[in-house]
Amino acid sequence: MSELSSDSNRPAPREVDAVVIGAGFGGIYAVHRLANEMNMSVVGIEKADGPGGTWYWNRYPGALSDTESFVYRFSFDSELLQEDTWAESYLTQPEILDYINRVIDKYDLRRHFTFGSEATSAVYDENDSRWTVTTDSGTVYRAKYIVNAVGLLSKINTPDIPGLDDFNGDLLHTGAWPEGIDLSGKRVGVIGSGSTGTQVVTALGKVAGHLTHFIRTPQYSVPVGKRPVSEAELAETKRNFDAIWDQVYSSGVAFGFEESTIPASSVSKEEQQRVFQSAWERGNGFYFMFGTFSDLAVDEASNEAAAAFIRSKIAETVTDPEKARKLTPHDLYARRPLCDDGFYQTFNQDNVDVVALRETPISKATANGIVTEDGTLHELDVIILATGFDAVDGNYRKMDIRGRGGKHINDRWQGHPDSYLGVATAEFPNWFMVLGPNGPFTNLVPSIQTQVEWITELIGYAEKHGISSVEPKEESVDEWTETCTTIANATVFAKADSWIFGANIPGKKPSVLFYLGGLGNYRAKLAEVASHGYSEFAIEYDDVARSA
Ligand code: FAD
Ligand code: NA7
C-alpha cells in the first residue's frame, strides 16, 4: 500500500523494480520472467478489467486466431505445452482467453496486476535513472525499468462518419465488443473488410435478420481450413514439440509450416494452379502467401498469379455476379493475408448484401441507419465498425511519455516511429517495448516470447553489471531503420495502403513499421547483439567512474 509522503497529502509513489504495461501475451510473460524467474518487484498495469489483451477486447462473433492452434501459444514451458489441449485446428477467441487465464493462474501472476487501470504518463528522471508512471486513477509508481506490452493492434480506429452520434441503434466496434449482446434477427451493417470484417460477417450472416457489408477496399481471402484435431494428431504434435518450435523459431513467418523456396516464376502456369489449388484445400492465409511459392511477396507477376487464382475462386463461389463484382479485388495481394471460414459463401444468402463504397460512398449516418451518396438509406438496428486499429505506435502516442531531457515520445517519433530491434529506442533509457515499431512481422506469440526473453535478459545483464541505464545508440536506431526500410521496400507490401505501414489512419504519416526479414534472422541478430555485450547500446553505470 502507498504511504503518505511528508511534504504533501498525495500518496507517495510505490517503488518497484519494474512496471509492465499490458496484460496480453506480452505483459503476462514479462511479469512471469521478471517476478518469478528474476525475483524482481513488478507491477503490471492493465486498462481492461482482466487479462487477455487482444482476446479480452475482441469478443465479436466469429473472432478466431488465424494462426493454427498448435503454434498460437507460449513455448517456454514444456509442462504447459503438454498439459494444454485443443479440439480444432484453430482457436476461437473464448478458447484463447481461457488459455491466457490458465497461464496467468498457473504462474500465479494475477497478484502482480492492477486491472481497470490505464497508464497515462511515464516520465524519466535522469538524476536517479528512475521512471515515474502515473495511472488514470492517480496511482504513482517509480521503477527502474518499464516494459511496454501495450499491443500493436490495440488502439481502435473509429472512422469519422458524419452523424454517427445520431444513430439510434447499437454502435459497436469489434475491438471493444460488449459481452453478451445478441444480434439475432437484427438488421446489421458492418463497415470494414479486413480480417475482422470478414470474420464478423461470416458469423453474423448466419443469425442476422439482414446484413449489409460496406466494403471500401475488397481483399483477397482464402479458406482458413478449420477442422477437428484427433487425439492421435494431438499426441503426435505433443511428441514433436521440440522439433516444431525449432522450425518455428528459425523460419520466416513462424506459422509452423515450411516456407516455400520455389519461385512461382520458375514453374509453369499449370504447376502454379496445382500448387494454389492444393493450398486452397489445405487452408491458411499465410500458408497461401508463403507456403506455396517463395516470391509472391516480392515479384509482382507471381503476386498477380496468386491474386488471379483467388479472383477465379470468388467468381466460382459467389453466384450473384453483381455481388461477386463488388467483392472482387483488383489490386496487389499485398496486405496481411486473410483467410476465412465461408466468407464468400455468405453472400449467397438472400439476407446478406454488399455495398461497394468506392462506387457509393457513405455520406452520413442518421438515426435510422447509413445513407450512401446515391441517396439510399440502409436501415439498420446495429452498426458494427470493423475498421481496425491505429497499429503499432498508436498506444504509445496516447501516453505522456518523456525520456531523457524531457523528450516526448511524439517529438522523437514526429517523422516516423523508430526503434532498435523493435524493443527500445534512443533517449528512452531502461524503457522497453514488446512488438514496438520495426519488430518482426510473424505469427506473433513466438516473436513476443523472443522479445520478452531478450529484454529481460538485458535487464538481468544490467542488474548484474551495476548498470544504471541502458538505451540504444542513435546510430544503432538509424541502422535498424535503414535495414527495415530496405527490406520492406523490396516487397509488394510497401505498395499497398494498410495498417502494416500505418497507412490506414487519416492524417497518420505512413512509414515502415515492421522488420520483414523473418523471425529466424531476427533472432540471429538479437543473439549477436547480446553476445558482444550490447555494444549497440549506450550504457551508464551506477559507479559513475565506469561510465565513459
Ligand atoms: P495485446 O494483446 O494487444 O495486449 C495489450 C494490452 O495492453 C491490452 O490489454 C491493452 O488494454 C493494454 N494497454 C494498452 N495501453 C495501456 C495503457 N496505457 N495502460 C494500461 N493498459 C494498456 N496475431 C497472430 O499472430 N495470429 C493471429 O491469428 C492473430 N489474430 C488476431 C485477431 C484479432 C482480432 C486481432 C485484433 C489481433 C490478432 N493478432 C494475431 C495479433 C494479436 O494482437 C497478437 O497475436 C497478440 O495477442 C498481442 O499480444 P500483446 O500482449 O502484445 O498485446
Ligand atoms: P484492418 O485490416 O485495418 O481493416 C479495416 C477495414 O476497415 C478495412 O476494410 C478498411 O478499408 C475499413 N475502413 C476503415 N476506415 C473506414 C472508413 N472510414 N470507411 C469505410 N471503411 C473503412 O483491420 P482488422 O481489424 O480487420 O484487422 C487488423 C488485424 O487484426 C488483422 O490484420 C489481423 O492481424 C488482426 P480500407 O481497406 O482502408 O479501404
Side-chain angles (χ1 to χ4, degrees), residues 21-27 45-48 52-55 57-58 60 64-67 72 117-119 149-154 196 336 389 395 399 435 442-444 448:
I21 308 176
F25 276 99
I45 304 173
E46 168 56 60
K47 187 167 57 176
T54 288
W55 307 102
W57 294 107
N58 291 264
Y60 58 85
L64 182 82
S65 165
D66 65 8
T67 301
Y72 198 66
S117 178
E118 180 170 1
V150 296
L152 84 178
L153 291 159
S154 175
T196 303
R336 186 183 184 279
F389 302 89
N395 265 340
M399 285 188 266
L435 302 182
T442 63
N443 165 32
L444 288 170
I448 290 169

mmCIF file of all heavy atoms in Angstrom, residues 21-27 45-48 52-55 57-58 60 64-67 72 117-119 149-154 196 336 389 395 399 435 442-444 448, ligand 1:
data_model
loop_
_atom_site.group_PDB
_atom_site.id
_atom_site.type_symbol
_atom_site.label_atom_id
_atom_site.label_comp_id
_atom_site.label_asym_id
_atom_site.label_seq_id
_atom_site.Cartn_x
_atom_site.Cartn_y
_atom_site.Cartn_z
ATOM 1 N N ILE A 21 3.371 -2.686 -18.667
ATOM 2 C CA ILE A 21 2.063 -2.140 -19.072
ATOM 3 C C ILE A 21 1.435 -3.082 -20.096
ATOM 4 O O ILE A 21 2.004 -3.344 -21.149
ATOM 5 C CB ILE A 21 2.204 -0.715 -19.654
ATOM 6 C CG1 ILE A 21 2.986 0.186 -18.681
ATOM 7 C CG2 ILE A 21 0.817 -0.122 -19.929
ATOM 8 C CD1 ILE A 21 3.252 1.590 -19.203
ATOM 9 N N GLY A 22 0.240 -3.604 -19.745
ATOM 10 C CA GLY A 22 -0.481 -4.524 -20.627
ATOM 11 C C GLY A 22 -0.512 -5.933 -20.063
ATOM 12 O O GLY A 22 0.461 -6.394 -19.458
ATOM 13 N N ALA A 23 -1.643 -6.599 -20.244
ATOM 14 C CA ALA A 23 -1.784 -7.983 -19.752
ATOM 15 C C ALA A 23 -2.252 -8.918 -20.858
ATOM 16 O O ALA A 23 -3.076 -9.791 -20.656
ATOM 17 C CB ALA A 23 -2.734 -8.032 -18.555
ATOM 18 N N GLY A 24 -1.708 -8.690 -22.071
ATOM 19 C CA GLY A 24 -1.865 -9.670 -23.145
ATOM 20 C C GLY A 24 -0.734 -10.688 -23.036
ATOM 21 O O GLY A 24 -0.083 -10.809 -21.986
ATOM 22 N N PHE A 25 -0.492 -11.410 -24.108
ATOM 23 C CA PHE A 25 0.595 -12.394 -24.103
ATOM 24 C C PHE A 25 1.908 -11.756 -23.632
ATOM 25 O O PHE A 25 2.651 -12.338 -22.845
ATOM 26 C CB PHE A 25 0.805 -12.956 -25.519
ATOM 27 C CG PHE A 25 -0.123 -14.087 -25.884
ATOM 28 C CD1 PHE A 25 -1.257 -13.861 -26.648
ATOM 29 C CD2 PHE A 25 0.144 -15.377 -25.479
ATOM 30 C CE1 PHE A 25 -2.112 -14.899 -26.992
ATOM 31 C CE2 PHE A 25 -0.698 -16.434 -25.819
ATOM 32 C CZ PHE A 25 -1.837 -16.192 -26.583
ATOM 33 N N GLY A 26 2.196 -10.542 -24.158
ATOM 34 C CA GLY A 26 3.471 -9.900 -23.849
ATOM 35 C C GLY A 26 3.595 -9.536 -22.381
ATOM 36 O O GLY A 26 4.602 -9.844 -21.727
ATOM 37 N N GLY A 27 2.576 -8.873 -21.849
ATOM 38 C CA GLY A 27 2.642 -8.400 -20.465
ATOM 39 C C GLY A 27 2.708 -9.533 -19.466
ATOM 40 O O GLY A 27 3.488 -9.493 -18.504
ATOM 41 N N ILE A 45 0.210 -3.138 -15.095
ATOM 42 C CA ILE A 45 -0.918 -2.201 -15.182
ATOM 43 C C ILE A 45 -1.714 -2.541 -16.432
ATOM 44 O O ILE A 45 -1.147 -2.606 -17.528
ATOM 45 C CB ILE A 45 -0.411 -0.741 -15.285
ATOM 46 C CG1 ILE A 45 0.494 -0.404 -14.110
ATOM 47 C CG2 ILE A 45 -1.582 0.233 -15.373
ATOM 48 C CD1 ILE A 45 1.164 0.965 -14.234
ATOM 49 N N GLU A 46 -3.004 -2.760 -16.288
ATOM 50 C CA GLU A 46 -3.831 -3.140 -17.437
ATOM 51 C C GLU A 46 -5.147 -2.361 -17.401
ATOM 52 O O GLU A 46 -5.865 -2.380 -16.406
ATOM 53 C CB GLU A 46 -4.092 -4.652 -17.437
ATOM 54 C CG GLU A 46 -5.156 -5.128 -18.407
ATOM 55 C CD GLU A 46 -4.926 -4.747 -19.870
ATOM 56 O OE1 GLU A 46 -3.900 -5.152 -20.439
ATOM 57 O OE2 GLU A 46 -5.797 -4.033 -20.434
ATOM 58 N N LYS A 47 -5.424 -1.721 -18.528
ATOM 59 C CA LYS A 47 -6.644 -0.915 -18.683
ATOM 60 C C LYS A 47 -7.919 -1.767 -18.580
ATOM 61 O O LYS A 47 -8.918 -1.341 -18.016
ATOM 62 C CB LYS A 47 -6.567 -0.271 -20.072
ATOM 63 C CG LYS A 47 -7.615 0.720 -20.393
ATOM 64 C CD LYS A 47 -7.227 1.508 -21.644
ATOM 65 C CE LYS A 47 -6.967 0.627 -22.854
ATOM 66 N NZ LYS A 47 -6.674 1.359 -24.083
ATOM 67 N N ALA A 48 -7.867 -2.961 -19.139
ATOM 68 C CA ALA A 48 -9.047 -3.833 -19.118
ATOM 69 C C ALA A 48 -9.276 -4.372 -17.704
ATOM 70 O O ALA A 48 -8.381 -4.344 -16.862
ATOM 71 C CB ALA A 48 -8.853 -4.992 -20.084
ATOM 72 N N GLY A 52 -5.700 -10.777 -21.033
ATOM 73 C CA GLY A 52 -6.082 -11.293 -22.354
ATOM 74 C C GLY A 52 -5.684 -10.389 -23.506
ATOM 75 O O GLY A 52 -5.470 -10.843 -24.609
ATOM 76 N N GLY A 53 -5.621 -9.063 -23.246
ATOM 77 C CA GLY A 53 -5.239 -8.140 -24.325
ATOM 78 C C GLY A 53 -6.211 -8.251 -25.491
ATOM 79 O O GLY A 53 -7.434 -8.152 -25.306
ATOM 80 N N THR A 54 -5.675 -8.481 -26.675
ATOM 81 C CA THR A 54 -6.485 -8.659 -27.889
ATOM 82 C C THR A 54 -7.690 -9.540 -27.625
ATOM 83 O O THR A 54 -8.810 -9.255 -28.063
ATOM 84 C CB THR A 54 -5.621 -9.339 -28.979
ATOM 85 O OG1 THR A 54 -4.668 -8.388 -29.449
ATOM 86 C CG2 THR A 54 -6.446 -9.842 -30.143
ATOM 87 N N TRP A 55 -7.481 -10.608 -26.881
ATOM 88 C CA TRP A 55 -8.514 -11.641 -26.731
ATOM 89 C C TRP A 55 -9.490 -11.313 -25.613
ATOM 90 O O TRP A 55 -10.499 -11.981 -25.437
ATOM 91 C CB TRP A 55 -7.856 -13.012 -26.593
ATOM 92 C CG TRP A 55 -6.926 -13.182 -27.759
ATOM 93 C CD1 TRP A 55 -5.559 -13.048 -27.749
ATOM 94 C CD2 TRP A 55 -7.290 -13.412 -29.128
ATOM 95 N NE1 TRP A 55 -5.061 -13.188 -29.021
ATOM 96 C CE2 TRP A 55 -6.095 -13.417 -29.886
ATOM 97 C CE3 TRP A 55 -8.509 -13.616 -29.787
ATOM 98 C CZ2 TRP A 55 -6.087 -13.621 -31.269
ATOM 99 C CZ3 TRP A 55 -8.500 -13.815 -31.160
ATOM 100 C CH2 TRP A 55 -7.295 -13.814 -31.881
ATOM 101 N N TRP A 57 -10.514 -7.942 -25.531
ATOM 102 C CA TRP A 57 -11.283 -6.865 -26.162
ATOM 103 C C TRP A 57 -12.089 -7.325 -27.371
ATOM 104 O O TRP A 57 -13.177 -6.819 -27.627
ATOM 105 C CB TRP A 57 -10.333 -5.748 -26.617
ATOM 106 C CG TRP A 57 -9.649 -5.030 -25.490
ATOM 107 C CD1 TRP A 57 -8.339 -5.139 -25.114
ATOM 108 C CD2 TRP A 57 -10.230 -4.079 -24.592
ATOM 109 N NE1 TRP A 57 -8.066 -4.321 -24.054
ATOM 110 C CE2 TRP A 57 -9.217 -3.649 -23.708
ATOM 111 C CE3 TRP A 57 -11.516 -3.535 -24.452
ATOM 112 C CZ2 TRP A 57 -9.451 -2.724 -22.702
ATOM 113 C CZ3 TRP A 57 -11.744 -2.605 -23.454
ATOM 114 C CH2 TRP A 57 -10.714 -2.208 -22.586
ATOM 115 N N ASN A 58 -11.547 -8.251 -28.149
ATOM 116 C CA ASN A 58 -12.169 -8.614 -29.438
ATOM 117 C C ASN A 58 -13.079 -9.832 -29.272
ATOM 118 O O ASN A 58 -12.775 -10.931 -29.718
ATOM 119 C CB ASN A 58 -11.086 -8.891 -30.483
ATOM 120 C CG ASN A 58 -10.342 -7.633 -30.869
ATOM 121 O OD1 ASN A 58 -10.668 -6.990 -31.869
ATOM 122 N ND2 ASN A 58 -9.353 -7.255 -30.068
ATOM 123 N N TYR A 60 -16.045 -10.221 -30.575
ATOM 124 C CA TYR A 60 -17.105 -10.193 -31.598
ATOM 125 C C TYR A 60 -17.384 -11.616 -32.105
ATOM 126 O O TYR A 60 -16.506 -12.494 -32.051
ATOM 127 C CB TYR A 60 -16.698 -9.267 -32.753
ATOM 128 C CG TYR A 60 -15.399 -9.648 -33.433
ATOM 129 C CD1 TYR A 60 -15.372 -10.601 -34.445
ATOM 130 C CD2 TYR A 60 -14.191 -9.067 -33.060
ATOM 131 C CE1 TYR A 60 -14.189 -10.964 -35.067
ATOM 132 C CE2 TYR A 60 -13.004 -9.421 -33.673
ATOM 133 C CZ TYR A 60 -13.007 -10.371 -34.681
ATOM 134 O OH TYR A 60 -11.824 -10.736 -35.280
ATOM 135 N N LEU A 64 -11.468 -15.329 -34.244
ATOM 136 C CA LEU A 64 -10.684 -16.564 -34.341
ATOM 137 C C LEU A 64 -9.243 -16.175 -34.620
ATOM 138 O O LEU A 64 -8.984 -15.235 -35.370
ATOM 139 C CB LEU A 64 -11.224 -17.359 -35.548
ATOM 140 C CG LEU A 64 -10.626 -18.712 -35.866
ATOM 141 C CD1 LEU A 64 -11.265 -19.775 -34.963
ATOM 142 C CD2 LEU A 64 -10.896 -19.085 -37.336
ATOM 143 N N SER A 65 -8.305 -16.898 -34.047
ATOM 144 C CA SER A 65 -6.910 -16.722 -34.452
ATOM 145 C C SER A 65 -6.739 -17.365 -35.816
ATOM 146 O O SER A 65 -7.293 -18.436 -36.075
ATOM 147 C CB SER A 65 -5.993 -17.413 -33.444
ATOM 148 O OG SER A 65 -4.707 -17.547 -34.009
ATOM 149 N N ASP A 66 -5.971 -16.727 -36.704
ATOM 150 C CA ASP A 66 -5.712 -17.390 -37.985
ATOM 151 C C ASP A 66 -4.314 -17.997 -38.020
ATOM 152 O O ASP A 66 -3.807 -18.378 -39.064
ATOM 153 C CB ASP A 66 -6.007 -16.488 -39.185
ATOM 154 C CG ASP A 66 -5.089 -15.283 -39.277
ATOM 155 O OD1 ASP A 66 -4.117 -15.202 -38.510
ATOM 156 O OD2 ASP A 66 -5.348 -14.420 -40.138
ATOM 157 N N THR A 67 -3.692 -18.095 -36.856
ATOM 158 C CA THR A 67 -2.513 -18.941 -36.670
ATOM 159 C C THR A 67 -3.036 -20.284 -36.160
ATOM 160 O O THR A 67 -3.926 -20.304 -35.313
ATOM 161 C CB THR A 67 -1.589 -18.367 -35.582
ATOM 162 O OG1 THR A 67 -1.183 -17.056 -35.943
ATOM 163 C CG2 THR A 67 -0.368 -19.239 -35.363
ATOM 164 N N TYR A 72 -0.136 -21.137 -31.777
ATOM 165 C CA TYR A 72 -0.587 -19.871 -31.195
ATOM 166 C C TYR A 72 -0.617 -20.053 -29.677
ATOM 167 O O TYR A 72 -1.670 -20.152 -29.048
ATOM 168 C CB TYR A 72 -1.946 -19.431 -31.751
ATOM 169 C CG TYR A 72 -2.190 -17.951 -31.479
ATOM 170 C CD1 TYR A 72 -1.399 -16.982 -32.081
ATOM 171 C CD2 TYR A 72 -3.154 -17.533 -30.579
ATOM 172 C CE1 TYR A 72 -1.563 -15.630 -31.812
ATOM 173 C CE2 TYR A 72 -3.333 -16.181 -30.300
ATOM 174 C CZ TYR A 72 -2.534 -15.240 -30.918
ATOM 175 O OH TYR A 72 -2.689 -13.892 -30.638
ATOM 176 N N SER A 117 -6.972 -0.227 -14.893
ATOM 177 C CA SER A 117 -6.102 0.904 -14.590
ATOM 178 C C SER A 117 -5.268 1.229 -15.834
ATOM 179 O O SER A 117 -4.603 0.356 -16.382
ATOM 180 C CB SER A 117 -5.195 0.493 -13.416
ATOM 181 O OG SER A 117 -4.313 1.517 -13.107
ATOM 182 N N GLU A 118 -5.345 2.471 -16.286
ATOM 183 C CA GLU A 118 -4.634 2.849 -17.512
ATOM 184 C C GLU A 118 -3.411 3.690 -17.165
ATOM 185 O O GLU A 118 -3.508 4.664 -16.407
ATOM 186 C CB GLU A 118 -5.592 3.648 -18.420
ATOM 187 C CG GLU A 118 -4.927 4.077 -19.715
ATOM 188 C CD GLU A 118 -5.916 4.640 -20.721
ATOM 189 O OE1 GLU A 118 -7.126 4.723 -20.403
ATOM 190 O OE2 GLU A 118 -5.475 4.995 -21.827
ATOM 191 N N ALA A 119 -2.269 3.330 -17.698
ATOM 192 C CA ALA A 119 -1.068 4.151 -17.510
ATOM 193 C C ALA A 119 -1.203 5.374 -18.407
ATOM 194 O O ALA A 119 -1.374 5.238 -19.625
ATOM 195 C CB ALA A 119 0.176 3.356 -17.879
ATOM 196 N N ALA A 149 4.017 -3.496 -22.985
ATOM 197 C CA ALA A 149 3.438 -4.593 -23.772
ATOM 198 C C ALA A 149 2.017 -4.169 -24.112
ATOM 199 O O ALA A 149 1.041 -4.837 -23.801
ATOM 200 C CB ALA A 149 3.474 -5.889 -22.977
ATOM 201 N N VAL A 150 1.941 -2.994 -24.754
ATOM 202 C CA VAL A 150 0.662 -2.296 -24.909
ATOM 203 C C VAL A 150 -0.105 -2.729 -26.154
ATOM 204 O O VAL A 150 -1.208 -2.227 -26.404
ATOM 205 C CB VAL A 150 0.869 -0.758 -24.919
ATOM 206 C CG1 VAL A 150 1.404 -0.282 -23.582
ATOM 207 C CG2 VAL A 150 1.805 -0.312 -26.041
ATOM 208 N N GLY A 151 0.467 -3.655 -26.923
ATOM 209 C CA GLY A 151 -0.252 -4.217 -28.061
ATOM 210 C C GLY A 151 -0.062 -3.433 -29.340
ATOM 211 O O GLY A 151 -0.039 -2.200 -29.328
ATOM 212 N N LEU A 152 0.086 -4.162 -30.441
ATOM 213 C CA LEU A 152 0.276 -3.477 -31.725
ATOM 214 C C LEU A 152 -1.028 -3.305 -32.480
ATOM 215 O O LEU A 152 -1.136 -2.478 -33.366
ATOM 216 C CB LEU A 152 1.332 -4.194 -32.588
ATOM 217 C CG LEU A 152 0.923 -5.373 -33.449
ATOM 218 C CD1 LEU A 152 2.110 -5.870 -34.248
ATOM 219 C CD2 LEU A 152 0.336 -6.477 -32.641
ATOM 220 N N LEU A 153 -2.048 -4.086 -32.080
ATOM 221 C CA LEU A 153 -3.377 -3.943 -32.690
ATOM 222 C C LEU A 153 -4.338 -3.768 -31.533
ATOM 223 O O LEU A 153 -5.073 -4.671 -31.153
ATOM 224 C CB LEU A 153 -3.709 -5.184 -33.521
ATOM 225 C CG LEU A 153 -2.866 -5.333 -34.786
ATOM 226 C CD1 LEU A 153 -2.860 -6.763 -35.292
ATOM 227 C CD2 LEU A 153 -3.344 -4.386 -35.875
ATOM 228 N N SER A 154 -4.286 -2.620 -30.920
ATOM 229 C CA SER A 154 -4.953 -2.442 -29.640
ATOM 230 C C SER A 154 -5.687 -1.104 -29.558
ATOM 231 O O SER A 154 -6.777 -1.025 -29.002
ATOM 232 C CB SER A 154 -3.914 -2.601 -28.530
ATOM 233 O OG SER A 154 -4.442 -2.329 -27.283
ATOM 234 N N THR A 196 -10.986 -8.838 -39.540
ATOM 235 C CA THR A 196 -12.094 -8.772 -38.590
ATOM 236 C C THR A 196 -13.436 -8.707 -39.302
ATOM 237 O O THR A 196 -14.380 -9.429 -38.952
ATOM 238 C CB THR A 196 -11.920 -7.534 -37.690
ATOM 239 O OG1 THR A 196 -10.654 -7.609 -37.049
ATOM 240 C CG2 THR A 196 -13.014 -7.447 -36.662
ATOM 241 N N ARG A 336 -1.869 -7.935 -45.001
ATOM 242 C CA ARG A 336 -1.738 -9.153 -44.198
ATOM 243 C C ARG A 336 -2.679 -10.189 -44.798
ATOM 244 O O ARG A 336 -3.880 -9.921 -44.930
ATOM 245 C CB ARG A 336 -2.106 -8.885 -42.746
ATOM 246 C CG ARG A 336 -1.846 -10.070 -41.830
ATOM 247 C CD ARG A 336 -2.293 -9.750 -40.418
ATOM 248 N NE ARG A 336 -1.968 -10.819 -39.485
ATOM 249 C CZ ARG A 336 -2.687 -11.931 -39.333
ATOM 250 N NH1 ARG A 336 -3.748 -12.138 -40.062
ATOM 251 N NH2 ARG A 336 -2.303 -12.840 -38.439
ATOM 252 N N PHE A 389 -7.334 -0.689 -36.423
ATOM 253 C CA PHE A 389 -6.564 -0.126 -35.306
ATOM 254 C C PHE A 389 -5.560 0.915 -35.792
ATOM 255 O O PHE A 389 -5.083 0.853 -36.919
ATOM 256 C CB PHE A 389 -5.780 -1.263 -34.617
ATOM 257 C CG PHE A 389 -6.677 -2.354 -34.113
ATOM 258 C CD1 PHE A 389 -7.019 -3.421 -34.948
ATOM 259 C CD2 PHE A 389 -7.221 -2.302 -32.841
ATOM 260 C CE1 PHE A 389 -7.870 -4.427 -34.507
ATOM 261 C CE2 PHE A 389 -8.082 -3.300 -32.390
ATOM 262 C CZ PHE A 389 -8.404 -4.362 -33.219
ATOM 263 N N ASN A 395 -0.822 3.180 -29.347
ATOM 264 C CA ASN A 395 -0.995 3.213 -27.886
ATOM 265 C C ASN A 395 0.111 4.000 -27.182
ATOM 266 O O ASN A 395 -0.102 4.524 -26.091
ATOM 267 C CB ASN A 395 -1.036 1.785 -27.323
ATOM 268 C CG ASN A 395 -2.466 1.293 -27.159
ATOM 269 O OD1 ASN A 395 -3.404 2.082 -27.110
ATOM 270 N ND2 ASN A 395 -2.636 -0.020 -27.085
ATOM 271 N N MET A 399 -0.010 8.089 -24.631
ATOM 272 C CA MET A 399 0.510 8.331 -23.280
ATOM 273 C C MET A 399 1.451 9.539 -23.285
ATOM 274 O O MET A 399 2.062 9.850 -24.297
ATOM 275 C CB MET A 399 1.297 7.101 -22.791
ATOM 276 C CG MET A 399 0.424 5.955 -22.380
ATOM 277 S SD MET A 399 1.417 4.645 -21.598
ATOM 278 C CE MET A 399 1.746 3.581 -22.990
ATOM 279 N N LEU A 435 6.866 -5.832 -29.289
ATOM 280 C CA LEU A 435 6.213 -5.533 -30.575
ATOM 281 C C LEU A 435 6.157 -4.024 -30.833
ATOM 282 O O LEU A 435 5.172 -3.505 -31.364
ATOM 283 C CB LEU A 435 4.804 -6.137 -30.663
ATOM 284 C CG LEU A 435 4.688 -7.652 -30.482
ATOM 285 C CD1 LEU A 435 3.231 -8.103 -30.651
ATOM 286 C CD2 LEU A 435 5.560 -8.405 -31.490
ATOM 287 N N THR A 442 5.172 -11.598 -38.009
ATOM 288 C CA THR A 442 5.109 -13.062 -37.965
ATOM 289 C C THR A 442 3.825 -13.498 -37.256
ATOM 290 O O THR A 442 3.056 -12.652 -36.795
ATOM 291 C CB THR A 442 6.271 -13.619 -37.098
ATOM 292 O OG1 THR A 442 6.088 -13.130 -35.754
ATOM 293 C CG2 THR A 442 7.632 -13.197 -37.608
ATOM 294 N N ASN A 443 3.651 -14.815 -37.129
ATOM 295 C CA ASN A 443 2.803 -15.317 -36.057
ATOM 296 C C ASN A 443 3.387 -14.704 -34.791
ATOM 297 O O ASN A 443 4.589 -14.860 -34.512
ATOM 298 C CB ASN A 443 2.872 -16.842 -36.026
ATOM 299 C CG ASN A 443 2.326 -17.414 -34.740
ATOM 300 O OD1 ASN A 443 1.421 -16.862 -34.132
ATOM 301 N ND2 ASN A 443 2.890 -18.543 -34.329
ATOM 302 N N LEU A 444 2.548 -14.013 -34.012
ATOM 303 C CA LEU A 444 3.164 -13.090 -33.050
ATOM 304 C C LEU A 444 3.580 -13.693 -31.711
ATOM 305 O O LEU A 444 4.480 -13.168 -31.064
ATOM 306 C CB LEU A 444 2.244 -11.891 -32.848
ATOM 307 C CG LEU A 444 2.233 -10.972 -34.085
ATOM 308 C CD1 LEU A 444 1.142 -9.911 -33.968
ATOM 309 C CD2 LEU A 444 3.577 -10.303 -34.295
ATOM 310 N N ILE A 448 6.706 -12.417 -29.644
ATOM 311 C CA ILE A 448 6.532 -11.824 -28.312
ATOM 312 C C ILE A 448 7.435 -12.535 -27.309
ATOM 313 O O ILE A 448 8.155 -11.911 -26.525
ATOM 314 C CB ILE A 448 5.048 -11.927 -27.872
ATOM 315 C CG1 ILE A 448 4.172 -10.982 -28.707
ATOM 316 C CG2 ILE A 448 4.887 -11.654 -26.379
ATOM 317 C CD1 ILE A 448 2.672 -11.188 -28.538
HETATM 318 P P1 FAD B 1 -2.334 -7.089 -26.645
HETATM 319 O O1 FAD B 1 -2.923 -8.422 -26.588
HETATM 320 O O2 FAD B 1 -2.925 -6.101 -27.584
HETATM 321 O O3 FAD B 1 -2.367 -6.500 -25.170
HETATM 322 C C1 FAD B 1 -2.042 -5.183 -24.891
HETATM 323 C C2 FAD B 1 -2.770 -4.777 -23.638
HETATM 324 O O4 FAD B 1 -2.234 -3.542 -23.199
HETATM 325 C C3 FAD B 1 -4.256 -4.542 -23.840
HETATM 326 O O5 FAD B 1 -4.997 -5.361 -22.980
HETATM 327 C C4 FAD B 1 -4.456 -3.072 -23.526
HETATM 328 O O6 FAD B 1 -5.679 -2.829 -22.853
HETATM 329 C C5 FAD B 1 -3.275 -2.788 -22.633
HETATM 330 N N1 FAD B 1 -2.877 -1.387 -22.653
HETATM 331 C C6 FAD B 1 -2.506 -0.646 -23.712
HETATM 332 N N2 FAD B 1 -2.170 0.587 -23.334
HETATM 333 C C7 FAD B 1 -2.332 0.619 -21.985
HETATM 334 C C8 FAD B 1 -2.132 1.613 -21.017
HETATM 335 N N3 FAD B 1 -1.701 2.822 -21.343
HETATM 336 N N4 FAD B 1 -2.395 1.310 -19.727
HETATM 337 C C9 FAD B 1 -2.823 0.081 -19.374
HETATM 338 N N5 FAD B 1 -3.034 -0.908 -20.261
HETATM 339 C C10 FAD B 1 -2.776 -0.635 -21.550
HETATM 340 N N6 FAD B 1 -1.687 -12.448 -34.136
HETATM 341 C C11 FAD B 1 -1.248 -13.630 -34.600
HETATM 342 O O7 FAD B 1 -0.053 -13.886 -34.546
HETATM 343 N N7 FAD B 1 -2.108 -14.544 -35.091
HETATM 344 C C12 FAD B 1 -3.435 -14.324 -35.152
HETATM 345 O O8 FAD B 1 -4.187 -15.166 -35.610
HETATM 346 C C13 FAD B 1 -3.931 -13.072 -34.696
HETATM 347 N N8 FAD B 1 -5.244 -12.787 -34.741
HETATM 348 C C14 FAD B 1 -5.681 -11.575 -34.305
HETATM 349 C C15 FAD B 1 -7.036 -11.282 -34.367
HETATM 350 C C16 FAD B 1 -7.506 -10.050 -33.946
HETATM 351 C C17 FAD B 1 -8.965 -9.749 -33.993
HETATM 352 C C18 FAD B 1 -6.584 -9.072 -33.504
HETATM 353 C C19 FAD B 1 -7.069 -7.712 -33.080
HETATM 354 C C20 FAD B 1 -5.250 -9.355 -33.425
HETATM 355 C C21 FAD B 1 -4.785 -10.604 -33.809
HETATM 356 N N9 FAD B 1 -3.438 -10.936 -33.735
HETATM 357 C C22 FAD B 1 -2.996 -12.149 -34.192
HETATM 358 C C23 FAD B 1 -2.477 -10.008 -33.143
HETATM 359 C C24 FAD B 1 -2.524 -10.068 -31.593
HETATM 360 O O9 FAD B 1 -2.686 -8.752 -31.185
HETATM 361 C C25 FAD B 1 -1.236 -10.712 -31.057
HETATM 362 O O10 FAD B 1 -1.141 -12.039 -31.520
HETATM 363 C C26 FAD B 1 -1.140 -10.760 -29.519
HETATM 364 O O11 FAD B 1 -2.337 -11.169 -28.929
HETATM 365 C C27 FAD B 1 -0.660 -9.441 -28.980
HETATM 366 O O12 FAD B 1 -0.366 -9.572 -27.611
HETATM 367 P P2 FAD B 1 0.250 -8.340 -26.807
HETATM 368 O O13 FAD B 1 0.366 -8.747 -25.418
HETATM 369 O O14 FAD B 1 1.475 -7.863 -27.497
HETATM 370 O O15 FAD B 1 -0.798 -7.159 -26.997
#
